[in-house]
Amino acid sequence: MSIIEPQPDPVAHAGSDYRPPVWLRNGHLQSIWPTLFRRVTLFEPQSDVVATPDDDRLHMDWYRAGNRRLAILSHGLEGHSRRPYMLGLARALLAGGWDVLAWNFRSCGGRMNHQPRFYHSGATEDLDCVVRRALADPAGYEQLALAGFSMGGNLTMLYLAEQGSGLDERITHGLGFSVPCDLAGSAAVLALPSRRIYMNRFLKDLGRKMAHKASAFPDRISVTGFDRIRTFREFDDRYTAPLHGFRDAEAYWARCSCLGRLNDIAVPSLILNAEDDPFLSRECYPSDPEVLGRQVRLEAPPWGGHVGFVDRDPDGYYWSERRAVAFLSEDA
């Protein structure tokens, strides 16, 4: 068993209102700050691999502290299991009495996957492989929670919706941070000239992966003309949709957006979307009870950016992390 150093109790600081310092009340700064300046120290996890039905592999990190509860964390687009936001939430959850399983989507975490396909916002079959592995773990976890960031948040909510009332009774909560509930809307926002810095970064990373896959599968994938791609519509039309069985980008977005499925979720779930998130469209802030359903709550602080919610408190936790642990403790 791994030993963790005692941490401040994040629940004690949790609140419903997020009030960052005045100089952090900017969505772009909030989105960039953690990547540039945040460092989270956590003990070395136990590495694990789970096989998929199509003969691929998913790589995972276990943070075990002997707890009876487990949280499964899903990262965002072109992220991985050891990004600061993943480690930050893992640290808070460990202090709150949860073990943590953080997993990498296909092609993420520094390991290219074996199949031509990679990952996408609706790849719930891969999350299901991870969940089934966790449910069968010899530790015999009595309670599980699923949490996801950005694309991983959409994936988490979509998975819970697809499972509906058939969800394993040990899975009791869902959490989503900066969730692009409406993929078409978010793609349109990120296509704006003012979001070019984000779009260029994503395309640069995705371009390297597509080049790798083109060399491995030249009969199916080509990167000729990739440098002319400027938007997710163009990328998803050319790569995501055909590699994963969708007609085109529009069909992919329609099928894989969690927005229209939120009312199928059968366990208490919380979505934290900052109003100043530079990645999200208006549709990503659903307030209609008929859309949210009985189990989903949307909390939308004025500030927080995209996967930000930065705090400068000495305990090192971000507001979203304290809020998450508090939410998971509400029905304990």
Side-chain angles (χ1 to χ4, degrees):
M1 179 189 304
S2 300
I3 303 298
I4 62 173
E5 297 180 4
Q7 299 286 346
D9 180 7
V11 177
H13 303 284
S16 58
D17 296 322
Y18 174 46
R19 294 291 182 268
V22 173
W23 61 275
L24 275 173
R25 297 182 181 184
N26 177 282
H28 296 290
L29 182 58
Q30 281 267 358
S31 304
I32 296 170
W33 181 273
T35 299
L36 296 179
F37 300 111
R38 192 180 197 194
R39 301 293 180 268
V40 180
T41 301
L42 204 56
F43 61 85
E44 188 67 20
Q46 172 194 343
S47 297
D48 196 5
V49 179
V50 63
T52 64
D54 62 342
D55 195 30
D56 220 331
R57 301 290 183 269
L58 302 174
H59 296 267
M60 310 180 296
D61 291 337
W62 289 88
Y63 295 92
R64 299 183 188 270
N67 296 306
R68 306 306 302 162
R69 303 180 296 175
L70 176 71
I72 298 176
L73 311 188
S74 302
H75 60 76
L77 181 73
E78 284 305 284
H80 54 78
S81 62
R82 302 190 188 186
R83 289 293 298 271
Y85 59 80
M86 295 281 279
L87 296 179
L89 181 58
R91 186 181 65 165
L93 289 168
L94 285 160
W98 295 76
D99 281 7
V100 173
L101 174 57
W103 69 290
N104 291 286
F105 303 159
R106 301 191 198 208
S107 81
C108 296
R111 301 179 182 89
M112 184 56 65
N113 65 305
H114 304 316
Q115 298 295 336
R117 63 163 294 181
F118 50 112
Y119 66 89
H120 64 85
S121 295
T124 52
E125 67 277 11
D126 285 354
L127 178 54
D128 188 58
C129 287
V130 176
V131 169
R132 289 179 182 275
R133 168 68 182 86
L135 290 170
D137 190 74
Y141 291 106
E142 298 169 356
Q143 182 182 0
L144 273 72
L146 307 185
F149 295 87
S150 190
M151 192 193 82
N154 181 82
L155 181 70
T156 296
M157 294 299 156
L158 185 62
Y159 175 80
L160 292 172
E162 289 177 351
Q163 295 294 312
S165 59
L167 189 70
D168 189 287
E169 63 182 9
R170 287 168 288 180
I171 302 174
T172 60
H173 292 80
L175 274 162
F177 306 89
S178 305
V179 182
C181 306
D182 178 62
L183 297 175
S186 288
V189 167
L190 284 165
L192 295 172
S194 59
R195 307 304 197 265
R196 176 55 56 189
I197 186 174
Y198 305 113
M199 198 69 244
N200 285 346
R201 177 63 182 271
F202 284 135
L203 289 175
K204 181 179 179 181
D205 292 344
L206 289 167
R208 285 194 291 261
K209 288 187 176 179
M210 291 303 102
H212 187 286
K213 287 193 172 292
S215 66
F217 306 100
D219 58 327
R220 295 194 57 181
I221 300 171
S222 169
V223 290
T224 301
F226 188 95
D227 58 341
R228 293 194 293 272
I229 292 177
R230 295 289 183 269
T231 67
F232 276 130
R233 176 180 294 277
E234 294 168 344
F235 179 85
D236 289 340
D237 266 335
R238 181 169 176 182
Y239 295 107
T240 311
L243 285 172
H244 301 97
F246 302 101
R247 183 187 69 250
D248 54 21
E250 289 283 354
Y252 158 54
W253 296 336
R255 171 64 181 82
C256 296
S257 294
C258 71
L259 181 62
R261 300 293 306 275
L262 294 175
N263 58 10
D264 292 326
I265 294 177
V267 295
S269 298
L270 177 66
I271 295 174
L272 295 177
N273 282 359
E275 292 180 357
D276 65 354
D277 190 321
F279 288 30
L280 303 185
S281 65
R282 183 182 300 274
E283 292 76 18
C284 295
Y285 302 88
S287 59
D288 188 337
E290 293 188 6
V291 174
L292 291 171
R294 298 180 60 185
Q295 295 289 3
V296 179
R297 276 189 275 165
L298 171 71
E299 192 166 331
W303 309 284
H306 192 74
V307 192
F309 304 105
V310 180
D311 267 348
R312 301 294 289 162
D313 290 341
D315 64 12
Y317 295 115
Y318 279 12
W319 174 82
S320 54
E321 295 156 6
R322 295 193 295 268
R323 183 69 188 91
V325 176
F327 171 70
L328 295 179
S329 302
E330 288 179 3
D331 300 318

